[in-house]
Amino acid sequence: MKPSSEDGAAQAGGPWEECFEAAAQLALRAGQIIRKALSEEKRVSTKTSAADLVTETDHMVEALILQELQQRFPSHRFIAEEAAAAGAKCVLTPSPTWIVDPIDGTCNFVHRFPTVAVSIGFAVNQELEFGVIYHCTEERLYTGRRGRGAFCNGQRLRVSGETDLSKALVLTEIGPRRDPTTLKLFLSNMERLLRAGAHGVRVIGSSTLALCHLASGAADAYYQFGLHCWDLAAATVIIREAGGVVMDTSGGPLDLMSCRVVAAGTREMAVLIAQALQTINYGRDDERPLTFMGSQTKKVLLTPLMHPARPFRVSNHDRSSRRGVTASSLQELLTKTLDALVIASGLVTLVLEEDGTVVDTEAFFQTLGDNTHLMVLEKGQKWTPGGTYIPARQPPKRQGIARVTFDLYKLNPKDVIGCLNVKATMYEMYSVSYDIRCPGLKALLRSLLWFLSHTAQMTGQCLVHTGTYMLRVLADTEERAVPSPRPRRGITSG
Ligand code: IPD
């Protein structure tokens, strides 16, 4: 597929320049949000296993990235970690496709371990075009563009040229599963490499950043079973452009959806690693919806992303031409409207045919009812009331006015009781939410012991005071009961 200007290709900077710029800017914006959220309290839920975590920041950042990209490039496709977790399919078609991991290293993020990244990859014709990875805390932006090199904050990246496994520093990640068979295989793979003489095997908690270390020559190889296409897409371009090799653990060509990878500075090293490994089968990203341990958080938080396409009626400014279009976002509606009414100008205003109200925000667009009548005004054209217009804006459906959701979540996966979030959403736009925090079992026990010890202390003090008081009273009574001896007469002289 050749890029057209609508697809995001800028003529001057090569194919997909505009998309690349958008990715870099979004990664920096997302990184700021993540950096700020790192030290704050988080709402943590689990996904495929107790070690596969997600927070509301993952959802928020993903929504930000996808909404922005969808608006700018409405014809593109998207694969994103949390959308996939909510059931969206991961299929890489020839269409321009964005592959997004909003927070790579979520477990680190939850624990405030400062190794977290945003990863945005982009593929066309099933071939990776560019990748952008932002190390949020160290503020390092890694980029790679097919045929144009790999960089970190503008400095060119180069992999190490090591070919000897007995001199290698190898990186890996554990993956989400913790069942005994998987753990045994994981540890035995590590042991095999250490036995082969590798200088060390490191696990840093973020596969994308580990792969960036490889690209910058700080490590010689990387392997993993259980990572996903969103962990791998951007990093693959960066490594290849830094001169490295990314392949399947079988030694064959990389399959982005196969959940397994070996990457190295040299082919020799990659092959040696691949030969040493035993396979851990994680299935494929494009063959299953991910299964969940059970968390409601994802549903509530992902609702805004899932707007279905709805029908609208659009007309030109004098109502001489009228068409029907379906769209799920304002940007999509605008694009389709221009096509349907054959309007070449990109600078148009969309208004309600009924009263000329400008429809200029996504939030407002989402409140419009099915078959709302809209009008497109080109530069210089004005809205005029129609003689017999058909009622345009349907009142929002009653059930959409307010929605209350109850969301049980855990601040920490070890919490036994967890917290309850009550959230009221008005018009699908505004929401108020209140968290009722219930402490975990340990905290509960600690509070109970604290209460008992304070009660015991106070009781003790009361007893001491009462005892002292009683003693004093008894002493007084005794004193009054025993007659005091008569004073002796004094002997006077003179
Ligand atoms: C995970 C991390 C982790 C790796 C997993 C990844 P996430 O990504 O990179 O280190 O072991 O395979 O899925 O869940 O933090 O985005």
Side-chain angles (χ1 to χ4, degrees):
M1 173 175 294
K2 286 257 168 64
S4 70
S5 60
E6 189 232 303
D7 277 335
Q11 285 71 31
W16 313 111
E17 174 75 12
E18 193 189 332
C19 297
F20 172 75
E21 291 298 335
Q25 277 165 21
L26 273 171
L28 294 175
R29 265 172 69 191
Q32 266 182 10
I33 298 174
I34 297 167
R35 200 159 49 242
K36 183 170 171 290
L38 189 70
S39 54
E40 291 167 2
E41 202 165 78
K42 301 162 188 87
R43 293 175 52 175
V44 185
S45 307
T46 51
K47 296 192 286 183
T48 57
S49 77
D52 192 5
L53 309 180
V54 62
T55 67
E56 57 188 344
T57 312
D58 293 69
H59 290 296
M60 201 232 281
V61 169
E62 184 168 302
L64 167 92
I65 296 174
L66 294 196
Q67 274 166 11
E68 185 94 13
L69 292 175
Q70 268 160 357
Q71 274 193 7
R72 286 184 68 169
F73 310 109
S75 61
H76 290 189
R77 288 173 162 260
F78 298 87
I79 295 175
E81 178 172 22
E82 306 317 332
K89 281 196 175 154
C90 292
V91 185
L92 192 59
T93 67
S95 305
T97 305
W98 297 82
I99 306 166
V100 178
D101 189 344
I103 302 183
D104 181 52
T106 302
C107 184
N108 285 348
F109 174 69
V110 166
H111 292 271
R112 301 178 185 182
F113 189 80
T115 304
V116 286
V118 183
S119 175
I120 305 177
F122 183 74
V124 184
N125 286 330
Q126 289 158 328
E127 191 161 351
L128 291 161
E129 282 292 333
F130 66 76
V132 169
I133 295 175
Y134 184 53
H135 189 316
C136 305
T137 56
E138 294 184 1
E139 301 184 41
R140 277 194 250 144
L141 184 70
Y142 293 89
T143 59
R145 282 195 273 178
R146 196 159 66 93
R148 308 183 80 192
F151 297 85
C152 174
N153 287 355
Q155 289 221 321
R156 199 168 193 115
L157 296 176
R158 197 77 227 143
V159 291
S160 91
E162 189 55 70
T163 53
D164 184 350
L165 182 52
S166 73
K167 290 188 186 137
L169 182 64
V170 182
L171 303 176
T172 188
E173 289 297 323
I174 306 169
R177 281 204 219 135
R178 296 293 184 272
D179 58 282
T181 318
T182 304
L183 284 184
K184 215 169 165 185
L185 282 167
F186 171 79
L187 292 172
S188 124
N189 278 337
M190 221 181 218
E191 192 183 341
R192 282 164 177 242
L193 295 174
L194 292 172
R195 276 182 188 275
H199 281 173
V201 180
R202 304 275 183 270
V203 176
I204 62 167
S206 158
S207 41
T208 59
L209 289 179
L211 288 160
C212 286
H213 284 309
L214 173 69
S216 58
D220 305 296
Y222 179 91
Y223 71 93
Q224 196 195 331
F225 294 95
L227 84 174
H228 298 283
C229 53
W230 47 83
D231 297 316
L232 198 52
T236 297
V237 194
I238 296 173
I239 291 172
R240 285 181 176 156
E241 287 301 318
V245 178
V246 188
M247 59 165 64
D248 188 73
T249 48
S250 64
L254 173 75
D255 176 349
L256 201 58
M257 296 291 162
S258 69
C259 296
R260 55 196 207 183
V261 72
V262 174
T266 59
R267 179 161 295 278
E268 294 88 327
M269 178 70 74
V271 169
L272 286 175
I273 303 263
Q275 282 169 348
L277 297 175
Q278 290 171 286
T279 300
I280 306 174
N281 188 3
Y282 267 92
R284 297 179 57 82
D285 277 339
D286 53 3
E287 269 176 11
R288 46 128 199 259
L290 301 176
T291 47
F292 280 83
M293 295 254 318
S295 154
Q296 294 178 10
T297 313
K298 62 185 186 300
K299 269 194 187 152
V300 175
L301 293 170
L302 277 173
T303 306
L305 270 182
M306 302 299 170
H307 297 300
R310 291 173 296 129
F312 296 92
R313 301 283 298 162
V314 289
S315 74
N316 59 358
H317 85 291
D318 60 3
R319 299 176 172 86
S320 58
S321 175
R322 200 179 285 282
R323 296 277 181 282
V325 291
T326 57
S328 59
S329 69
L330 179 56
Q331 183 61 46
E332 189 183 354
L333 180 68
L334 261 171
T335 313
K336 286 189 172 171
T337 300
L338 295 183
D339 280 355
L341 297 174
V342 204
I343 296 175
S345 159
L347 284 174
V348 294
T349 312
L350 205 60
V351 299
L352 296 179
E353 188 185 338
E354 174 188 355
D355 57 10
T357 307
V358 179
V359 182
D360 56 353
T361 65
E362 184 66 27
F364 183 37
F365 165 77
Q366 292 300 344
T367 68
L368 301 178
D370 290 1
N371 291 312
T372 295
H373 286 242
L374 299 148
M375 181 184 273
V376 176
L377 302 177
E378 291 179 64
K379 205 170 169 210
Q381 295 177 340
K382 288 214 164 56
W383 172 82
T384 47
T388 51
Y389 70 83
I390 311 117
R393 199 154 85 116
Q394 294 173 0
K397 287 175 201 145
R398 250 194 115 53
Q399 68 264 35
I401 291 176
R403 185 165 48 99
V404 180
T405 52
F406 296 91
D407 182 17
L408 254 182
Y409 67 95
K410 291 180 179 184
L411 277 175
N412 185 313
K414 287 180 196 147
D415 283 354
V416 178
I417 304 176
C419 307
L420 179 68
N421 171 262
V422 184
K423 183 174 178 185
T425 310
M426 269 74 74
Y427 294 108
E428 302 281 334
M429 284 166 69
Y430 309 102
S431 64
V432 247
S433 102
Y434 186 73
D435 289 275
I436 303 163
R437 295 189 50 184
C438 313
L441 209 59
K442 267 192 190 163
L444 205 67
L445 211 64
R446 214 177 295 129
S447 311
L448 198 68
L449 286 174
W450 180 88
F451 176 73
L452 287 177
S453 88
H454 270 68
T455 316
Q457 268 183 31
M458 280 168 61
T459 317
Q461 286 199 355
C462 278
L463 285 174
V464 170
H465 286 303
T466 319
T468 320
Y469 178 73
M470 294 292 285
L471 280 174
R472 206 175 295 148
V473 171
L474 281 175
D476 282 356
T477 325
E478 233 169 61
E479 225 170 71
R480 254 180 262 127
V482 180
S484 51
R486 285 193 177 178
R488 282 205 197 144
R489 280 222 178 117
I491 299 163
T492 54
S493 62

